[in-house]
Amino acid sequence: MELLVLGNLSRDQLDRFGEVTSVAERWRAVAEAHPGLRVVANAADPHVAHAAAPAATTWVDLGAGWRGDAATCPGCGALLDWSADGFTCPGCGFARPESPYRLHDGALSRDGEVVPLDLALPGRWNRANAALALVAAVEHFGVPLDTALGAIRDVETVAGRYRTVRLPDGRPVRIYLAKNPAGWTEVLEHVARRDSAVVVAVNAHVADGKDPSWLWDVPYELLRGRAVAAAGERALDVAVRFRYAEVDHLLEPHPMRAAERLAGDEVDVVASYTQFLALHRRFG
Ligand SMILES: [Zn+2]
Protein backbone atom coordinates (compact mmCIF):
# COMPACT_ATOMS: atom_id res chain seq x y z
CA MET A 1 0.00 0.00 0.00
CA GLU A 2 1.18 3.48 -0.79
CA LEU A 3 0.61 6.34 1.59
CA LEU A 4 1.62 9.97 1.31
CA VAL A 5 2.34 12.00 4.46
CA LEU A 6 2.27 15.79 4.09
CA GLY A 7 3.50 17.86 7.03
CA ASN A 8 3.93 21.46 6.01
CA LEU A 9 5.05 23.64 3.15
CA SER A 10 7.21 26.73 3.54
CA ARG A 11 9.87 28.65 1.69
CA ASP A 12 13.32 27.18 1.27
CA GLN A 13 16.44 29.16 0.50
CA LEU A 14 15.90 31.35 -2.54
CA ASP A 15 18.23 29.42 -4.82
CA ARG A 16 16.73 26.03 -4.06
CA PHE A 17 13.48 24.27 -5.02
CA GLY A 18 10.28 25.92 -6.12
CA GLU A 19 8.07 28.74 -5.00
CA VAL A 20 5.63 27.62 -2.29
CA THR A 21 2.36 28.16 -4.15
CA SER A 22 3.60 26.42 -7.30
CA VAL A 23 4.74 23.40 -5.24
CA ALA A 24 1.33 23.25 -3.53
CA GLU A 25 -0.38 23.31 -6.94
CA ARG A 26 1.81 20.44 -8.16
CA TRP A 27 0.96 18.43 -5.03
CA ARG A 28 -2.73 19.16 -5.59
CA ALA A 29 -2.49 17.99 -9.21
CA VAL A 30 -1.20 14.63 -7.92
CA ALA A 31 -4.17 14.38 -5.53
CA GLU A 32 -6.63 15.30 -8.29
CA ALA A 33 -5.14 12.69 -10.63
CA HIS A 34 -5.35 10.02 -7.91
CA PRO A 35 -8.51 10.62 -5.87
CA GLY A 36 -8.09 7.24 -4.15
CA LEU A 37 -4.59 8.11 -2.99
CA ARG A 38 -4.26 7.71 0.76
CA VAL A 39 -2.83 10.76 2.46
CA VAL A 40 -2.13 11.70 6.06
CA ALA A 41 -1.87 15.48 6.16
CA ASN A 42 -1.56 18.47 8.45
CA ALA A 43 -4.90 20.29 8.51
CA ALA A 44 -3.37 23.42 10.06
CA ASP A 45 -1.20 24.35 7.06
CA PRO A 46 -3.24 26.10 4.32
CA HIS A 47 -0.99 24.93 1.48
CA VAL A 48 -1.14 21.32 2.66
CA ALA A 49 -4.91 21.54 3.24
CA HIS A 50 -5.36 22.89 -0.29
CA ALA A 51 -3.08 20.29 -1.85
CA ALA A 52 -4.52 17.24 -0.07
CA ALA A 53 -8.20 18.20 -0.28
CA PRO A 54 -8.96 16.13 -3.43
CA ALA A 55 -7.40 12.95 -1.97
CA ALA A 56 -8.65 10.38 0.56
CA THR A 57 -7.02 12.28 3.38
CA THR A 58 -6.78 11.56 7.10
CA TRP A 59 -6.39 14.99 8.68
CA VAL A 60 -4.24 15.70 11.69
CA ASP A 61 -4.45 19.20 13.18
CA LEU A 62 -0.88 19.96 14.24
CA GLY A 63 -1.69 23.46 15.53
CA ALA A 64 -0.26 26.83 14.60
CA GLY A 65 3.26 26.90 13.23
CA TRP A 66 5.11 29.02 10.69
CA ARG A 67 2.64 31.31 8.87
CA GLY A 68 5.17 33.33 6.93
CA ASP A 69 4.15 31.82 3.59
CA ALA A 70 0.41 31.52 4.20
CA ALA A 71 -0.93 35.07 4.14
CA THR A 72 -3.23 34.42 1.22
CA CYS A 73 -5.70 31.70 0.23
CA PRO A 74 -4.10 29.03 -2.00
CA GLY A 75 -7.44 28.72 -3.82
CA CYS A 76 -8.50 32.29 -4.57
CA GLY A 77 -5.76 34.62 -3.37
CA ALA A 78 -7.81 36.53 -0.77
CA LEU A 79 -6.17 37.38 2.55
CA LEU A 80 -6.76 34.54 5.02
CA ASP A 81 -8.33 35.26 8.41
CA TRP A 82 -6.25 33.64 11.15
CA SER A 83 -7.49 32.88 14.66
CA ALA A 84 -6.67 30.47 17.45
CA ASP A 85 -8.84 27.94 15.60
CA GLY A 86 -6.86 28.14 12.40
CA PHE A 87 -7.62 29.86 9.11
CA THR A 88 -10.66 30.73 7.03
CA CYS A 89 -10.90 32.44 3.66
CA PRO A 90 -13.46 35.27 3.37
CA GLY A 91 -13.28 34.97 -0.42
CA CYS A 92 -14.13 31.34 -1.14
CA GLY A 93 -14.90 29.68 2.21
CA PHE A 94 -11.74 27.59 2.24
CA ALA A 95 -10.95 26.73 5.87
CA ARG A 96 -9.00 24.35 8.03
CA PRO A 97 -10.48 20.88 7.40
CA GLU A 98 -12.33 19.20 10.25
CA SER A 99 -9.77 16.89 11.78
CA PRO A 100 -10.35 13.74 13.84
CA TYR A 101 -6.82 13.97 15.24
CA ARG A 102 -5.36 16.93 17.09
CA LEU A 103 -1.91 17.59 18.53
CA HIS A 104 -1.97 19.81 21.61
CA ASP A 105 0.50 20.27 24.48
CA GLY A 106 2.56 17.30 23.31
CA ALA A 107 -0.38 14.88 23.22
CA LEU A 108 -2.36 13.48 20.31
CA SER A 109 -6.11 13.31 20.85
CA ARG A 110 -8.98 11.63 19.05
CA ASP A 111 -12.60 11.49 20.24
CA GLY A 112 -11.64 12.43 23.77
CA GLU A 113 -8.85 9.87 23.97
CA VAL A 114 -5.56 11.65 24.74
CA VAL A 115 -2.23 9.99 24.04
CA PRO A 116 0.89 11.74 25.43
CA LEU A 117 3.73 11.35 22.94
CA ASP A 118 6.57 11.59 25.53
CA LEU A 119 9.31 11.65 22.91
CA ALA A 120 13.03 11.39 23.61
CA LEU A 121 13.49 13.81 20.68
CA PRO A 122 13.25 17.53 21.44
CA GLY A 123 11.00 20.20 20.00
CA ARG A 124 7.51 20.78 18.68
CA TRP A 125 8.54 19.86 15.14
CA ASN A 126 9.46 16.35 16.23
CA ARG A 127 6.13 15.96 18.04
CA ALA A 128 4.38 17.07 14.86
CA ASN A 129 6.30 14.57 12.72
CA ALA A 130 5.69 11.83 15.30
CA ALA A 131 1.95 12.56 15.35
CA LEU A 132 1.76 12.15 11.57
CA ALA A 133 3.81 8.93 11.69
CA LEU A 134 1.66 7.56 14.49
CA VAL A 135 -1.60 8.22 12.64
CA ALA A 136 -0.17 6.69 9.46
CA ALA A 137 0.99 3.54 11.26
CA VAL A 138 -2.11 2.99 13.40
CA GLU A 139 -4.84 4.11 11.04
CA HIS A 140 -3.48 2.86 7.73
CA PHE A 141 -1.10 0.00 8.49
CA GLY A 142 -2.91 -1.58 11.43
CA VAL A 143 0.02 -1.23 13.83
CA PRO A 144 -1.19 -1.41 17.47
CA LEU A 145 -1.01 1.99 19.14
CA ASP A 146 1.33 0.85 21.94
CA THR A 147 3.71 -0.75 19.44
CA ALA A 148 3.85 2.39 17.32
CA LEU A 149 4.27 4.65 20.36
CA GLY A 150 7.05 2.48 21.76
CA ALA A 151 8.95 2.58 18.48
CA ILE A 152 8.59 6.35 18.19
CA ARG A 153 9.65 6.94 21.79
CA ASP A 154 12.80 4.85 21.27
CA VAL A 155 14.16 7.27 18.67
CA GLU A 156 16.91 9.42 20.23
CA THR A 157 18.80 10.67 17.22
CA VAL A 158 17.90 10.95 13.53
CA ALA A 159 20.98 10.51 11.33
CA GLY A 160 23.04 12.43 13.89
CA ARG A 161 20.48 15.12 14.61
CA TYR A 162 20.06 15.84 18.34
CA ARG A 163 23.20 13.90 19.19
CA THR A 164 24.83 15.03 22.43
CA VAL A 165 28.64 15.16 22.51
CA ARG A 166 31.05 16.38 25.18
CA LEU A 167 33.42 19.34 25.22
CA PRO A 168 36.96 18.74 26.55
CA ASP A 169 35.78 20.20 29.87
CA GLY A 170 32.93 17.67 30.00
CA ARG A 171 30.03 20.01 29.26
CA PRO A 172 27.35 18.55 26.95
CA VAL A 173 26.75 19.94 23.47
CA ARG A 174 23.57 19.06 21.61
CA ILE A 175 23.69 19.32 17.83
CA TYR A 176 20.68 20.52 15.82
CA LEU A 177 20.29 20.73 12.06
CA ALA A 178 18.22 23.60 10.65
CA LYS A 179 17.68 24.05 6.93
CA ASN A 180 15.10 26.69 6.11
CA PRO A 181 13.45 29.70 7.80
CA ALA A 182 10.51 27.69 9.21
CA GLY A 183 12.86 25.01 10.55
CA TRP A 184 15.28 27.56 12.02
CA THR A 185 12.34 29.29 13.71
CA GLU A 186 11.14 26.03 15.29
CA VAL A 187 14.63 25.21 16.59
CA LEU A 188 15.19 28.75 17.92
CA GLU A 189 11.83 28.74 19.72
CA HIS A 190 12.91 25.47 21.32
CA VAL A 191 16.39 26.59 22.42
CA ALA A 192 14.98 29.96 23.57
CA ARG A 193 13.06 28.07 26.27
CA ARG A 194 16.28 26.51 27.58
CA ASP A 195 19.16 27.93 29.63
CA SER A 196 21.83 26.74 27.25
CA ALA A 197 24.49 28.75 25.45
CA VAL A 198 23.86 28.76 21.68
CA VAL A 199 26.21 28.48 18.69
CA VAL A 200 24.74 29.36 15.29
CA ALA A 201 26.93 27.78 12.60
CA VAL A 202 26.20 28.65 8.97
CA ASN A 203 27.82 27.81 5.64
CA ALA A 204 26.65 28.82 2.18
CA HIS A 205 27.36 25.84 -0.08
CA VAL A 206 24.75 24.37 -2.44
CA ALA A 207 23.25 22.19 0.31
CA ASP A 208 22.97 25.15 2.68
CA GLY A 209 21.61 27.51 0.07
CA LYS A 210 24.31 29.60 -1.61
CA ASP A 211 22.42 32.80 -0.89
CA PRO A 212 22.40 33.41 2.89
CA SER A 213 19.77 36.17 2.68
CA TRP A 214 17.39 33.72 4.43
CA LEU A 215 19.17 34.74 7.66
CA TRP A 216 16.88 37.79 7.58
CA ASP A 217 13.75 35.59 7.58
CA VAL A 218 14.68 33.95 10.91
CA PRO A 219 13.85 35.55 14.31
CA TYR A 220 17.32 35.50 15.85
CA GLU A 221 15.99 38.16 18.25
CA LEU A 222 14.86 35.13 20.31
CA LEU A 223 18.50 34.73 21.41
CA ARG A 224 18.79 38.16 23.08
CA GLY A 225 20.35 37.98 26.52
CA ARG A 226 21.85 34.53 25.96
CA ALA A 227 25.46 33.41 25.64
CA VAL A 228 25.68 33.23 21.85
CA ALA A 229 28.35 32.66 19.19
CA ALA A 230 28.32 33.29 15.44
CA ALA A 231 30.13 30.42 13.70
CA GLY A 232 30.64 28.66 10.38
CA GLU A 233 32.24 29.82 7.13
CA ARG A 234 29.61 32.57 7.04
CA ALA A 235 30.09 33.58 10.67
CA LEU A 236 30.37 37.21 9.60
CA ASP A 237 26.94 37.09 7.92
CA VAL A 238 25.52 35.56 11.10
CA ALA A 239 27.26 38.22 13.20
CA VAL A 240 25.74 41.03 11.11
CA ARG A 241 22.30 39.48 11.55
CA PHE A 242 22.93 39.22 15.30
CA ARG A 243 23.99 42.84 15.45
CA TYR A 244 20.72 43.98 13.85
CA ALA A 245 18.82 41.62 16.20
CA GLU A 246 20.69 43.18 19.15
CA VAL A 247 22.07 39.79 20.17
CA ASP A 248 25.44 40.12 21.93
CA HIS A 249 27.73 37.41 20.63
CA LEU A 250 31.28 36.27 20.10
CA LEU A 251 32.70 35.51 16.67
CA GLU A 252 34.40 32.12 16.24
CA PRO A 253 34.13 30.29 12.92
CA HIS A 254 34.81 26.84 14.35
CA PRO A 255 31.58 25.68 16.05
CA MET A 256 33.16 23.43 18.72
CA ARG A 257 35.76 26.05 19.63
CA ALA A 258 32.90 28.54 19.83
CA ALA A 259 31.05 26.16 22.17
CA GLU A 260 34.16 25.90 24.37
CA ARG A 261 34.41 29.68 24.64
CA LEU A 262 30.81 30.19 25.76
CA ALA A 263 29.86 30.16 29.43
CA GLY A 264 27.03 27.92 30.63
CA ASP A 265 26.37 24.38 31.80
CA GLU A 266 25.40 23.16 28.34
CA VAL A 267 25.59 24.33 24.77
CA ASP A 268 23.25 23.94 21.80
CA VAL A 269 24.87 24.06 18.35
CA VAL A 270 22.40 24.90 15.58
CA ALA A 271 24.01 24.17 12.23
CA SER A 272 23.19 24.61 8.57
CA TYR A 273 23.46 21.51 6.42
CA THR A 274 27.16 21.30 5.57
CA GLN A 275 28.16 22.53 9.03
CA PHE A 276 26.02 19.75 10.45
CA LEU A 277 27.54 17.16 8.11
CA ALA A 278 31.04 18.10 9.23
CA LEU A 279 30.02 17.66 12.87
CA HIS A 280 28.27 14.37 12.04
CA ARG A 281 31.41 13.04 10.33
CA ARG A 282 33.52 14.07 13.27
CA PHE A 283 31.31 12.54 15.95
CA GLY A 284 29.79 9.70 13.90
ZN1 LIG B 1 -10.13 31.55 -0.84
Side-chain angles (χ1 to χ4, degrees), residues 38-280:
R38 293 195 192 199
V39 179
V40 172
N42 175 15
D45 181 311
H47 293 293
V48 171
H50 175 71
T57 297
T58 306
W59 297 106
V60 185
D61 181 358
L62 296 177
W66 169 268
R67 294 182 189 171
D69 299 295
T72 56
C73 174
C76 77
L79 279 176
L80 289 175
D81 288 333
W82 283 90
S83 71
D85 291 330
F87 56 87
T88 55
C89 174
C92 70
F94 174 64
R96 188 193 64 186
E98 282 300 313
S99 171
Y101 292 97
R102 181 164 178 256
L103 180 68
H104 185 66
D105 280 345
L108 185 65
S109 61
R110 176 176 185 158
D111 298 335
E113 184 188 4
V114 179
V115 179
L117 294 178
D118 292 335
L119 301 186
L121 294 175
R124 185 178 60 174
W125 68 95
N126 276 317
R127 293 192 288 276
N129 290 337
L132 293 171
L134 198 64
V135 170
V138 172
E139 175 111 5
H140 291 281
F141 290 92
V143 178
L145 177 63
D146 286 347
T147 306
L149 261 181
I152 284 171
R153 287 171 179 162
D154 279 347
V155 178
E156 294 179 342
T157 65
V158 180
R161 303 176 196 193
Y162 323 114
R163 181 184 304 284
T164 297
V165 299
R166 296 277 168 182
L167 291 171
D169 62 15
R171 290 182 295 151
V173 176
R174 196 164 212 188
I175 299 170
Y176 298 78
L177 168 64
K179 295 195 289 191
N180 54 51
W184 273 95
T185 301
E186 288 279 334
V187 174
L188 287 179
E189 287 178 350
H190 172 71
V191 300
R193 286 192 288 271
R194 290 162 45 75
D195 292 327
S196 53
V198 182
V199 176
V200 171
V202 171
N203 285 356
H205 299 283
V206 170
D208 306 286
K210 294 183 81 166
D211 174 356
S213 62
W214 58 266
L215 285 165
W216 298 89
D217 292 343
V218 176
Y220 290 103
E221 289 79 1
L222 289 167
L223 298 177
R224 277 181 196 155
R226 302 285 289 275
V228 175
E233 294 171 14
R234 302 304 285 260
L236 285 172
D237 292 84
V238 176
V240 170
R241 178 69 187 90
F242 281 165
R243 174 170 291 192
Y244 276 86
E246 299 176 357
V247 173
D248 290 335
H249 59 276
L250 62 82
L251 182 65
E252 167 56 68
H254 192 285
M256 296 308 285
R257 277 202 289 275
E260 285 179 48
R261 288 177 58 187
L262 290 173
D265 293 336
E266 52 187 340
V267 186
D268 291 328
V269 173
V270 191
S272 72
Y273 198 76
T274 60
Q275 276 289 324
F276 172 82
L277 274 187
L279 292 166
H280 184 43

